[in-house]
Amino acid sequence: MNPTPPPRGLSPACLLGASLVFSLLLPCRLPAQAPATDAATPGRTADATVVLSPFQVDASAENGYLATQTLNGTRLKTDLKDIGSSLTVFTEQLMDDLGANSIYHLMSFAPNTDPFVMSTSDITGNGNDFINIPTKFVSRGGASTVVGQDFFTNNIPQDRFNSEALTFTRGPNAILFGLGNAAGAFISSTKRAKHIDARTVEQQMDSRGGHRLTVDLNQVLVKDRLAVRYSGLFEGLNDFRLHNSTYQRRHFGTLNFTPFKQTTLRANYEGGHIQQSGVRPWPDYDAVSPWLAAGSPMIATFSNVAAGKPAGTQNFGYAGLVSTEFSAGGTPIPTQRLTNQGQSVATTFANGFPVNGGSFRSLVNDSIYPTFASDFGDSSYRLTDYHSVSAFLEQQITRDCFVEAAFNKVDSKLRAVNGFVGQNSVIYVDPNRQLPNGQPNPNAGLLYSQSQSTIIDAPNAATNFRVMASYEFDFARHTPGRWRKLGRHQFAAFVEESDQTGWSSNNGMFNTTPLATTGAAAAISNGNNAIQYRYYFEPAKNKVGTSIGRHIEAIPVLYANDPLPPRNPSGITPAFMAQQGPTMTEAVVRTRAFALQSFFWKDRVVLTNGFRTDNQTSWLAVPNDFVARRDANGIAPRPSGFNVRQLMPDSRAERGGHTYSRGVVFHALSWLSLSYNTSNNFQVNAGTRNVFGDLLPNPQGKGSDYGVKLSLLDRRVFFDLTYYTISNLNSPDSISNNAAGNFKQFDQLWIAVADFTHDVKYLTSPYSTLSTVWADVVSTRSSGWEFALTANPTKQWRLTLNGSKRGDNTTSARGTYINQYMAQYIPIIKSHPEWLPLEAANGFTVATRVADLERTLVNFNAIRNSPSANFAPNWTVNLIQTYEFARDSRLAGFALGGSMNARGQAIDGFAVDSALVLDPTLPYHAPGYANFGAWVTYKRKLFRNRVDWRLQLNVRNLLDEHTVFPLVTVDTRDGRHTPNVAIYTLKEPRTYVFTSAFKF
């Protein structure tokens, strides 16, 4: 079956015509003025503000795809040839050619890097990272979320409209981020106001009806003294998944004030509104095929019992209310309980997810339901309203001494609208011909999906202060004789303090006017009053997916003592309620760091050393800490009125550590350099606990790079080859429910024991984990090769080629605490024979659950050393190249370019043995593939060379291939280990993007 890609929004011809009209109209409104100048146009003067300061790079040094300087080695301006760590700088020209606007468009072009798709530990098919984390990527086999701007980290999605010098570092770098991730980080700098008048207006449109408009206005107010710059973004895009869209409206302003020759003050402000999609990148799950295979049985009459459902169906056991108010298709029915109706059954383990996962299988049959449709539709997204201010004071003290003082403050109000819980994106069939109230079911035989909606409020704020000093001492300039051989040394030191505060509350939907007036069900927060939405689909009428997001936003979110909404005449009055309870945090991090880069032997030997100390003090409040503050309806309070330090003073935790970076570069010949770099980092763990209830150790990472750098053909070709090793120690490992079984069954044992003994100690740590979400630790190691070639072979031809060959990740020291826990508490339980016949849960005895747990531990230890690589391919190759036709040719002004992303096989599952235990020696692999892109560009000058115009057409996924691709493969359990693809991932189909840009 080859699923059909989603329909296109607008034809390429239509978009091209609109772009041409826009291109012709805009210049007509330009006032006559003297031609502006910049480094990109002959006759323009270079920006003088980037010459001396070590805190910024010289952007004019870029040549095509080749960057020569960076701040991402030592936090000071450094030539790339003198850095031993691995990093990739995406130049403005490269981003223009790709039509790239953010790191999401760039990460797959960095060596050994890809967007995050799914974790190997996500056996529930939830995909919560897509609604909870703004940016996540996989590099060198590990996942990272570290994204920074101006060396301040935040959770605002990065975009090119206000950024420059986008750089991706691979491996740990303690000088950049001592508190970081060994997989790497994406770092950018905010745009700066320049002492030159310049304006850029750019419009993009794509074949799905998306549009993007950016403006970049730089104005000199006082020559060589004061300049201001404004960048604005308005974007509305339609995702390649049906009925899913994103939206951005953002503003950025900056000024550059130079009151004195050696003093510069920069101030930035940014604010905006972002709607970021939370749709998972895989098809909806299948609960239709088994019903069809059973003969499409229908249930004629309703019987209020769970048993007796025909083959291919199962009992619908949900006891809450079901609303069809916002259904895409079908006929709305009154909100009611549908308990004990039938529903089609989902796929079985034999063709579903791993051994202990849910019965998930992607529905990739367009004759049943469009593969590129999504249950989530426009009902799952992150809303971010934010503003940030920052200021930078740069002062030159002496010829070689500079100081920078920096301040940064970000306030972000995040609201995650979660219309669907991840694992509920299942397509069912309604086989019921009769409703529970005896009325005919108008939706009998229709497809549907159902889930409770939630809204997650998660505001946060961060304040940073940083003071950094730089000093360069050159013995050749300051001392005579032999002392001159002691080289040139550049010192950097900084201190920083950051204070991050925030809270989150996951709010479920309930009926605030219960139908019951007495008993437990009369309480608003009772499960019988929970509301789930059901969405019927009619694919033949294009009624698929959901579009209820804005309706959900209009429903009130209630915290303690908020007034209840007026009663709806229907008797069903929905509201989101803080029933689960909030989590509140504050973390203060104090940092001291020192870096030294030394140049010897006429700069042929470069040594880099860095040391850093980070100490964090944190406070934490969890849902149980707000129990006494709930109102009469059991609703938890809004945490914004609390100070977590005062609320939970005993939660104060202090942790920290030291990190380092060391490197050497030897320029053996004018065209040959050798390099070595090693560094580490760590993350402070202030809240994650193990199964005993104790804090886990700080996760740590360490990496080493061994490199060869070549400069060939009169510096027209640059080549890097790197061998790397990465180690992660004590990374948090969520194994409570894993592919080997469910360790959370321990809680059922302790509940039974506590009820029997009337001793509540068994309901808390170190026995039960009822009040905590626990994790274990895992240590991993990976190694491999990376290469990068960047060249300007001719004046018209530019290209970059990079790739990687990754070795298998090795896993060790996994499950340390759960093994200790089992060894300690299983014998205790067995030593009490009076406990063993107790009912634990669902009719199972304590003895049965003990046997289940022992079997789970055996299975877990059998797979504990399985490779864990987040579905990373074993090799990657990326190519970007552009050829510009000569000015004296018939095609003057035109350029042609192309790109390629090629990936090797990736482990996507394992066979099982006769006991249904995963066998790590028999992996399954997703196949390798290659995706291609292409573009054609036309440039010319307008209005007597006053305006530079660029018109460009990009085609992504040129061949429209690999749009439905294997993600998870399982054993069919036929005794021959035949693989069966359970879950697919969806990739962007062929897409046309038109860009029209004017610079003047």
Side-chain angles (χ1 to χ4, degrees), residues 265-285:
L265 173 66
R266 291 187 296 116
N268 300 335
Y269 170 81
E270 183 181 352
H273 172 80
I274 303 171
Q275 176 181 316
Q276 184 181 20
S277 172
V279 172
R280 284 55 163 174
W282 48 76
D284 295 329
Y285 298 124

Side-chain angles (χ1 to χ4, degrees), residues 17 100 162 292 303 326 330 334 371 378 506 682:
N162 73 331
L292 293 173
S303 60
F326 303 118
T371 300
D378 259 343
N506 193 343
F682 73 99

Side-chain angles (χ1 to χ4, degrees), residues 416-662:
V417 178
N418 202 13
F420 259 85
V421 177
Q423 69 267 31
N424 287 347
S425 60
V426 181
I427 305 296
Y428 294 98
V429 178
D430 185 347
N432 305 283
R433 297 195 183 278
Q434 187 181 62
L435 296 173
N437 60 10
Q439 296 295 316
N441 180 11
N443 302 308
L446 293 185
L447 305 178
Y448 76 91
S449 284
Q450 180 172 324
S451 178
Q452 183 178 19
S453 300
T454 64
I455 282 184
I456 303 172
D457 285 330
N460 58 83
T463 304
N464 307 80
F465 299 92
R466 182 177 69 220
V467 177
M468 186 170 183
S470 166
Y471 180 72
E472 181 175 300
F473 185 85
D474 189 347
F475 279 91
R477 184 157 55 87
H478 291 284
T479 60
R482 296 180 179 177
W483 293 100
R484 299 166 62 89
K485 297 182 180 180
L486 293 181
R488 176 170 59 91
H489 308 270
Q490 188 176 39
F491 304 84
F494 70 89
V495 294
E496 182 176 340
E497 180 173 314
S498 66
D499 188 346
Q500 296 185 345
T501 61
W503 59 268
S504 66
S505 177
N506 193 343
N507 309 302
M509 183 180 291
F510 291 82
N511 176 26
T512 59
T513 53
L515 300 179
T517 57
T518 60
I524 293 176
S525 57
N526 184 271
N528 285 284
N529 295 313
I531 300 176
Q532 291 190 359
Y533 283 112
R534 177 175 289 191
Y535 313 96
Y536 285 101
F537 306 131
E538 297 179 81
K541 298 180 181 180
N542 198 31
K543 294 182 177 181
V544 295
T546 57
S547 57
I548 66 164
R550 296 304 175 190
H551 298 288
I552 291 178
E553 285 185 61
I555 297 173
V557 179
L558 304 181
Y559 291 91
N561 300 312
D562 286 347
L564 298 179
R567 181 184 182 87
N568 189 290
S570 69
I572 307 299
T573 312
F576 291 98
M577 298 191 338
Q579 192 248 359
Q580 178 176 312
T583 298
M584 194 174 187
T585 62
E586 181 177 2
V588 177
V589 179
R590 296 176 175 86
T591 300
R592 294 173 296 168
F594 170 80
L596 170 64
Q597 193 165 40
S598 300
F599 300 80
F600 300 99
W601 197 12
K602 297 182 179 180
D603 294 350
R604 293 179 63 184
V605 177
V606 183
L607 303 179
T608 302
N609 284 279
F611 304 93
R612 177 170 173 145
T613 299
D614 293 276
N615 292 300
Q616 175 177 291
T617 304
S618 61
W619 296 262
L620 171 67
V622 298
N624 283 350
D625 299 321
F626 294 91
V627 170
R629 294 170 172 81
R630 293 177 179 265
D631 66 10
N633 291 312
I635 305 176
R638 185 189 303 270
S640 55
F642 297 94
N643 182 314
V644 69
R645 297 192 190 192
Q646 299 173 358
L647 178 67
M648 297 298 297
D650 294 339
S651 70
R652 176 185 173 119
E654 296 188 12
R655 281 192 164 189
H658 305 278
T659 52
Y660 64 85
S661 291
R662 306 185 188 108

Side-chain angles (χ1 to χ4, degrees), residues 63-65 93 97 713 716-717 789-801 879-886 895-898:
N63 182 12
Y65 300 156
Q93 183 66 70
D97 287 348
L713 300 179
R716 294 199 303 268
V717 177
L789 181 149
T790 304
N792 295 297
T794 69
K795 291 182 179 181
Q796 287 81 43
W797 184 21
R798 55 183 176 268
L799 69 88
T800 182
L801 174 71
L879 171 67
I880 308 170
Q881 62 174 339
T882 298
Y883 183 83
E884 294 184 352
F885 291 93
L896 297 176

Side-chain angles (χ1 to χ4, degrees), residues 673-984:
S673 301
L674 307 176
S675 65
Y676 167 75
N677 187 81
T678 184
S679 186
N680 69 342
N681 55 20
F682 73 99
Q683 295 172 300
V684 173
N685 171 44
T688 306
R689 298 182 179 274
N690 63 24
V691 67
F692 292 100
D694 301 324
L695 277 176
L696 291 176
N698 290 333
Q700 301 177 49
K702 180 181 179 181
S704 296
D705 293 346
Y706 307 81
V708 177
K709 303 174 186 284
L710 303 177
S711 173
L712 306 171
L713 300 179
D714 195 25
R715 300 182 63 81
R716 294 199 303 268
V717 177
F718 293 85
F719 178 80
D720 295 344
L721 178 65
T722 302
Y723 174 76
Y724 69 87
T725 61
I726 293 286
S727 299
N728 288 280
L729 179 65
N730 295 327
S731 297
D733 190 16
S734 299
I735 63 167
S736 59
N737 189 9
N738 65 89
N742 187 358
F743 287 121
K744 288 291 286 182
Q745 291 177 348
F746 245 117
D747 291 337
Q748 300 172 8
L749 306 186
W750 294 125
I751 291 173
V753 171
D755 290 343
F756 179 77
T757 62
H758 304 291
D759 192 340
V760 296
K761 76 176 183 181
Y762 293 114
L763 300 179
T764 60
S765 297
Y767 302 97
S768 169
T769 60
L770 283 171
S771 60
T772 62
V773 177
W774 63 273
D776 216 289
V777 293
V778 60
S779 297
T780 61
R781 184 183 184 278
S782 64
S783 61
W785 294 86
E786 297 171 347
F787 76 90
L789 181 149
T790 304
N792 295 297
T794 69
K795 291 182 179 181
Q796 287 81 43
W797 184 21
R798 55 183 176 268
L799 69 88
T800 182
L801 174 71
N802 64 59
S804 63
K805 177 66 175 70
R806 185 177 55 82
D808 288 338
N809 284 21
T810 58
T811 303
S812 61
R814 190 179 189 200
T816 301
Y817 296 106
I818 191 61
N819 274 275
Q820 296 173 359
Y821 181 86
M822 294 279 284
Q824 180 173 345
Y825 288 109
I826 288 293
I828 292 177
I829 293 175
K830 286 184 174 181
S831 69
H832 289 271
E834 69 278 15
W835 292 357
L836 299 180
L838 300 176
E839 182 177 341
N842 301 320
F844 294 99
T845 65
V846 169
T848 301
R849 286 306 188 203
V850 166
D852 289 342
L853 286 164
E854 290 178 322
R855 184 163 49 252
T856 296
L857 185 64
V858 171
N859 293 347
F860 175 79
N861 286 333
I863 65 170
R864 63 188 297 186
N865 294 327
S866 302
S868 176
N870 293 284
F871 304 104
N874 56 5
W875 60 263
T876 68
V877 174
N878 305 303
L879 171 67
I880 308 170
Q881 62 174 339
T882 298
Y883 183 83
E884 294 184 352
F885 291 93
R887 295 181 180 178
D888 57 355
S889 71
R890 293 183 179 180
L891 296 176
F894 281 95
L896 297 176
S899 66
M900 179 188 71
N901 296 118
R903 299 293 183 266
Q905 292 183 335
I907 293 177
D908 68 347
F910 297 92
V912 298
D913 62 18
S914 58
L916 301 185
V917 177
L918 298 182
D919 186 348
T921 65
L922 295 175
Y924 298 130
H925 294 87
Y929 66 92
N931 281 342
F932 299 89
W935 53 89
V936 56
T937 306
Y938 178 68
K939 295 180 181 179
R940 65 169 297 174
K941 293 185 179 294
L942 305 174
F943 298 97
R944 299 181 181 179
N945 296 333
R946 294 175 181 173
V947 178
D948 293 332
W949 177 40
R950 176 172 62 91
L951 182 64
Q952 183 168 305
L953 167 65
N954 287 78
V955 186
R956 297 174 183 157
N957 195 356
L958 180 66
L959 303 181
D960 203 23
E961 294 181 326
H962 315 297
T963 55
V964 182
F965 198 75
L967 178 62
V968 176
T969 298
V970 297
D971 195 329
T972 55
R973 304 168 201 182
D974 58 359
R976 298 189 298 273
H977 304 304
T978 303
N980 190 299
V981 177
I983 307 239
Y984 290 86

